[in-house]
């Protein structure tokens, strides 16, 4: 029984670590999409999905382009604006829901409750196999396991947050260093005579 408890315990920790990563990735996707919609902008993934079918006019028709075409073009533009706006609203809701679901899976209390359900189901199935022994004898042991698991889950959550914070800071520092190096190179080149730059 102890070996099986340990397997369920390890499985819970593995699933929780995976949920933390998935939640972080979902949060990053949500943030990226939200930024692409700043100031009412329509993201390219939306405009590419909902656009105007190409049409090649003959030279003669190109010259005419009467009011019927202008009216139809305006109606189409108005419809596309509505379509794009609705698509952005839908995607914002979808990203938010996705992030929320992953966030629930990465919650310590939810993971602990899930582990408790798995353990109780296992104890119940074993008890019935051996003639319905009293499962109360396991309660002190299960309580101790639950406390240990909650500590491990909280530590995993803190470690993940710390690693993500450090990785983000390192990436930002690297991007800053690259930008400064590029700026220095451009300034050095601007100070060179044109003839020297041509030779390079």
């Amino acid at each position: 029984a102890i070996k099986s408890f340990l397997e369920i315990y390890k499985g819970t920790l593995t699933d929780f670590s995976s949920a933390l990563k998935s939640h972080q990735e979902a949060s990053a996707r949500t943030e990226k999409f939200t930024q692409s919609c700043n100031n009412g902008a329509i993201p390219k993934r939306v405009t590419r999905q909902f656009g105007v079918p190409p049409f090649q006019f003959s030279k003669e028709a190109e010259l005419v382009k009467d009011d019927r075409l202008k009216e139809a073009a305006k109606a189409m533009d108005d419809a596309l604006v509505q379509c794009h706006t609705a698509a952005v609203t839908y995607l914002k809701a979808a990203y938010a829901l996705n992030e929320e679901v992953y966030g629930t899976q990465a919650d310590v209390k939810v993971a602990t409750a899930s582990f408790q359900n798995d353990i109780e189901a296992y104890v119940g199935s074993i008890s019935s196999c051996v003639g319905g022994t009293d499962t109360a004898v396991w309660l002190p042991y299960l309580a101790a396991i639950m406390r240990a698991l909650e500590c491990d889950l909280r530590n995993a959550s803190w470690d993940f947050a710390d690693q993500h914070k450090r990785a983000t800071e390192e990436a930002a520092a690297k991007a800053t260093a690259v930008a400064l190096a590029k700026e220095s190179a451009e300034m050095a080149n601007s100070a060179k005579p044109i003839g020297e730059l041509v030779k390079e």
Side-chain angles (χ1 to χ4, degrees), residues 71-104:
E71 290 171 10
K74 184 181 181 311
M76 178 183 63
D77 288 342
D78 291 344
L80 282 174
V81 168
Q82 290 183 359
C83 182
H84 290 163
T85 303
V88 168
T89 301
Y90 167 79
L91 286 172
K92 282 182 177 177
Y95 277 111
L97 176 61
N98 207 37
E99 184 178 352
E100 182 183 316
V101 169
Y102 281 123
T104 300

Side-chain angles (χ1 to χ4, degrees), residues 179-192:
L180 287 173
K182 185 178 178 183
E183 185 179 338
S184 296
E186 288 173 353
M187 288 179 69
N189 280 337
S190 66
K192 290 181 180 179

Side-chain angles (χ1 to χ4, degrees), residues 22-149:
S22 296
H23 181 236
Q24 186 274 319
E25 290 171 349
S27 297
R29 286 192 295 269
T30 301
E31 185 178 347
K32 185 177 179 182
F33 182 76
T34 301
Q35 287 176 353
S36 71
C37 300
N38 280 349
N39 301 319
I42 304 296
K44 286 183 181 178
R45 64 175 294 196
V46 173
T47 55
R48 280 196 302 261
Q49 186 71 28
F50 303 102
V52 181
F55 185 85
Q56 183 65 48
F57 287 99
S58 66
K59 289 182 181 179
E60 292 77 8
E62 189 71 38
L63 292 172
V64 176
K65 280 195 175 177
D66 61 16
D67 289 340
R68 288 173 299 172
L69 189 60
K70 291 176 185 175
E71 290 171 10
K74 184 181 181 311
M76 178 183 63
D77 288 342
D78 291 344
L80 282 174
V81 168
Q82 290 183 359
C83 182
H84 290 163
T85 303
V88 168
T89 301
Y90 167 79
L91 286 172
K92 282 182 177 177
Y95 277 111
L97 176 61
N98 207 37
E99 184 178 352
E100 182 183 316
V101 169
Y102 281 123
T104 300
Q105 293 172 356
D107 183 87
V108 171
K109 290 183 178 179
V110 171
T112 304
S114 176
F115 171 79
Q116 183 175 1
N117 291 337
D118 291 344
I119 285 291
E120 288 176 354
Y122 171 74
V123 169
S125 66
I126 294 300
S127 173
S128 63
C129 288
V130 295
T133 56
D134 184 12
T135 57
V137 297
W138 289 101
L139 292 180
Y141 180 66
L142 292 179
I145 292 178
M146 295 293 293
R147 286 192 298 273
L149 176 71

Side-chain angles (χ1 to χ4, degrees), residues 168-184:
T168 302
E169 288 171 350
E170 287 172 9
K174 190 179 288 186
T176 301
V178 169
L180 287 173
K182 185 178 178 183
E183 185 179 338
S184 296

